[in-house]
Amino acid sequence: MPTRDVDHYIADAEAQGLKIRHVFLTHFHADFVAGHLELRDRVGAEIHLGASATTQYAATGMHDNDVLAFGNVRLVTLETPGHTPESMCILSYDLEQSDSTPQAVLTGGTLFIGDVGRPDLGASIGWTADDLASLLYDSLHTKLLPNVPDEAPSYFSYDAEMNTRERPTLEQSLGEGLVALSLMETLARRDAGAQTARHT
Amino acid sequence: MPGATQELKLLDIREGDDFAGAHLQGSINIDLDGKFASWAGALLAHDRPIVLIGAPGSQQEATMRLGRIGYDNVVGYLADGMMALARSPHLVGRVQRITALSLHEQRQENVPICIVDVRSASEREGGHIADSIHVPLPQMLRHLDELPRDQKIVVHCAGGYRSAVAASLTCDAKLWR
C-alpha cells in the first residue's frame, strides 16, 4: 500500500537495481490517498487488489493462495475481509530459506501490534460493524493464524514510525520546519489571508 | 469556494469549550481530540499555509495527523499558544454557548435567531428543530454568505464537536464581511 509520494519507492528500487512491476493495494482507504495509480503511471506497474474489489482502473484481483513469484521470492495472497471487505494479506517466502514456511506476512489493515483493524468503517458502503467484525474474526482464525508462524514478522500498513520513515518531508517538518511564530507574525499571516479573500 | 478557504490559515486545535471561552480572532477551531484530520481535510485548503494554535506539544501531533492526509502545509504555531494574547484582549474572540432551554426561551420571546443544523442529511431526517435551516458542515464554507447578518446565529450538531467547528467558521466569516 504505497504512499502517494512515490519518488522514494522508485529511488529505493533503482538503488537496488530493481524495477517495480507490481503494486499491491492491501485495501481501500477512506481517509487518505494511496499512490498505486502514481506508481502505475510512473513505472508501468500492474495493480493488485483483493479479488472482491471493484475498481474504475485495471487491476488484477487476487484470490486465496494466488502466487506471484520472482527470483527467490514467492508472494502468496490471502483474502482477509474484515477491516474492509476486499482486504488481503500477503505471505512472503524466501525460497532460499524455505519453500513451505513464510518468512514474513504483510497484514495491511487486518492485523496490528496488539490490535486488529477497525471493522466499523464500512457503513457508507452498506457494511455493518457486526458483519465486518464477524468476517475479521474468521479471517484471523482461518487465514492468518494457521498460515503464519509465530516467529515471522508482521508488517502492517499504518504506523506512526513507518509513517515517519516513509515521509521524510513530514519528519523534517516536525523536526525543523514547525517553528514558533510570534503573535505579530501570526497576525500578519491572518491578515494577508483576509485581504486575499476580500479581493476574490 | 477558493475565496472562502484561502483565509483559513489559523487553525485552533484546542477543545471547543476552550475556543468558545477565548480564541484569536480569525482562527477556526478543529479539536485535535476528535475526527481532526477528517474535518481538516473537508474544510481546509491543502495548499495554503496553516498556523496552529494549541497547547504546547499538541502541534506536533496535529502536524503528523495532517501530514497523513497529505497536508504538508503547516508552517508553524503561535508561540505560547493563547498566552500570547494575554496583553492583547482586543484580539480575543469568544463564542457564546447556549443551552436548549435558553434557546427555546429566547425564541418564545421572539428574539430573531437563525438556527443552523450542521448535521448530515440522514441525521436531520431523524428529526430536527422546527424552523432551523440545514447546512451540513462539509458544505458550510460555500454557504457562509447566505447566513443572515441581522440575526443571532445558533449552530448545533449532535454532540458539540461539529457545532464548535461551525461556530468558528461563522465567527471567522464576520472578519471579512
Side-chain angles (χ1 to χ4, degrees), chain A residues 1 6 11 22 24 30-31 60-61 65 81 84 99 125 127 143 149 160 166 168 174:
Chain A
M1 187 191 63
V6 298
H22 303 272
F24 287 80
D31 49 356
T60 303
N65 299 312
T84 64
D99 67 354
I125 51 171
W127 285 88
K143 304 285 182 70
E166 286 187 348
L174 284 171

Side-chain angles (χ1 to χ4, degrees), chain B residues 57-133:
Chain B
S58 63
Q59 298 93 354
Q60 280 73 16
E61 184 188 343
T63 305
M64 175 70 82
R65 286 166 68 178
L66 288 167
R68 284 176 184 158
I69 59 164
Y71 280 56
D72 291 329
N73 48 340
V74 176
V75 295
Y77 59 93
L78 175 59
D80 303 325
M82 289 302 293
M83 293 299 290
L85 293 175
R87 291 179 190 169
S88 307
H90 60 290
L91 296 174
V92 173
R94 291 187 173 80
V95 178
Q96 197 184 343
R97 311 210 93 182
I98 184 170
T99 63
L101 182 61
S102 171
L103 177 60
H104 177 68
E105 287 170 357
Q106 291 192 39
R107 293 182 99 197
Q108 297 283 44
E109 294 161 11
N110 293 319
V111 176
I113 294 175
C114 174
I115 300 178
V116 183
D117 179 354
V118 301
R119 298 174 302 159
S120 66
S122 60
E123 289 174 281
R124 188 169 171 85
E125 280 167 18
H128 61 267
I129 300 174
D131 300 326
S132 62
I133 63 170

Side-chain angles (χ1 to χ4, degrees), chain A residues 24-35:
Chain A
F24 287 80
L25 196 67
T26 51
H27 59 291
F28 293 131
H29 319 285
D31 49 356
F32 63 93
V33 185

